[in-house]
């Protein structure tokens, strides 16, 4: 149980385009989802926390207009990187937690984003 | 703000041996969770073990166990009978209780199991 699916797993696109990444909880309702960014050989850095039906809470230094997060249902959150540039290239990982605060976060497989 | 420190960037151990990964943290909260996550080359984050701060008993999951020292703010992971599949990056992480569930990760320890 507690499977989180992230799609796509790898995307390459031209500079200036927008890219949408989906995060789905397959067998549980995720009231809270988290989006992380991981640079090569570094740790995960939290970008934002999204709660179903409300606006995402962004961490300091993360541009909310650049990284649009939508959590419209209890099983789906999306991250859209708008007008992506090479410096946005990174590994993006989502995680989801169920309705109880006692439940741990379960992670998706991540998305490798490469902007040319 | 919480901080998590892993002072061992890399470790290696022979297969079947025991290895301990260190983690220290700093927080002003009295109740919280601590985690060890494993990230193999596939880069999926896998929960290895979780400890609730109010529980004095150290958590165990098969070959994985922790040594939780709340007063010292130390949370080490012991892997017994290490296997080749244990080769991965290991991240220690902290999470607060209700209303502050976001995870703060350490910088990770790259563990290599040598055949």
């Amino acid at each position: 149980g507690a499977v989180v699916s992230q799609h796509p797993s790898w995307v390459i696109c031209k500079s200036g385009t927008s890219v949408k990444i989906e995060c789905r909880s397959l067998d549980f309702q995720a009231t809270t989802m988290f989006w992380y960014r991981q640079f090569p050989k570094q740790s995960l850095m939290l970008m934002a926390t999204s709660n179903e039906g409300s606006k995402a809470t962004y961490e300091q230094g993360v541009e909310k207009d650049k990284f649009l997060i939508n959590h419209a249902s209890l099983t789906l959150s999306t991250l859209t990187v708008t007008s992506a540039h090479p410096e946005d290239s990174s590994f993006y990982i989502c995680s989801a937690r169920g309705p109880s605060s006692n439940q741990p976060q379960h992670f998706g497989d991540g998305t490798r984003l490469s902007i040319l | 703000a919480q901080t998590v420190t892993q002072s061992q960037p890399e470790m290696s151990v022979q297969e079947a041996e025991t290895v301990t990964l260190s983690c220290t943290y700093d927080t002003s909260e009295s109740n919280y969770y601590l985690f060890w996550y494993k990230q193999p080359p596939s880069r999926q984050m896998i929960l290895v073990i979780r400890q609730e701060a109010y529980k004095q008993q150290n958590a165990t999951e098969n070959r994985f166990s922790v040594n939780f020292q709340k007063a010292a703010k130390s949370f080490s992971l012991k892997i017994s009978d290490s296997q080749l599949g244990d080769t991965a990056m290991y991240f220690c992480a902290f999470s607060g209780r209700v209303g502050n569930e976001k995870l703060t990760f350490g910088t990770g320890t790259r563990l290599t199991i040598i055949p």
Side-chain angles (χ1 to χ4, degrees), chain A residues 34-87:
Chain A
F34 303 85
W35 287 95
Y36 297 85
R37 184 172 181 176
Q38 186 179 29
F39 290 104
K41 298 185 179 182
Q42 294 189 24
S43 188
L44 279 72
M45 298 299 295
L46 180 66
M47 299 174 66
T49 302
S50 75
N51 291 295
E52 186 267 336
S54 61
K55 290 184 178 180
T57 301
Y58 290 81
E59 294 299 299
Q60 190 173 7
V62 178
E63 300 176 60
K64 58 182 67 177
D65 294 331
K66 175 73 168 179
F67 300 99
L68 301 179
I69 292 172
N70 184 279
H71 192 166
S73 78
L74 285 172
T75 59
L76 174 64
S77 176
T78 61
L79 167 67
T80 301
V81 183
T82 61
S83 186
H85 292 284
E87 59 266 28

Side-chain angles (χ1 to χ4, degrees), chain A residues 38 43 59 101-102 105 109, chain B residues 33 37 39 50 98 102 106:
Chain A
Q38 186 179 29
S43 188
E59 294 299 299
S101 62
N102 291 325
Q105 294 181 29
D109 289 347
Chain B
Y33 292 104
Y37 280 91
Q39 188 179 41
R50 180 175 77 158
V98 175
K102 62 183 182 181

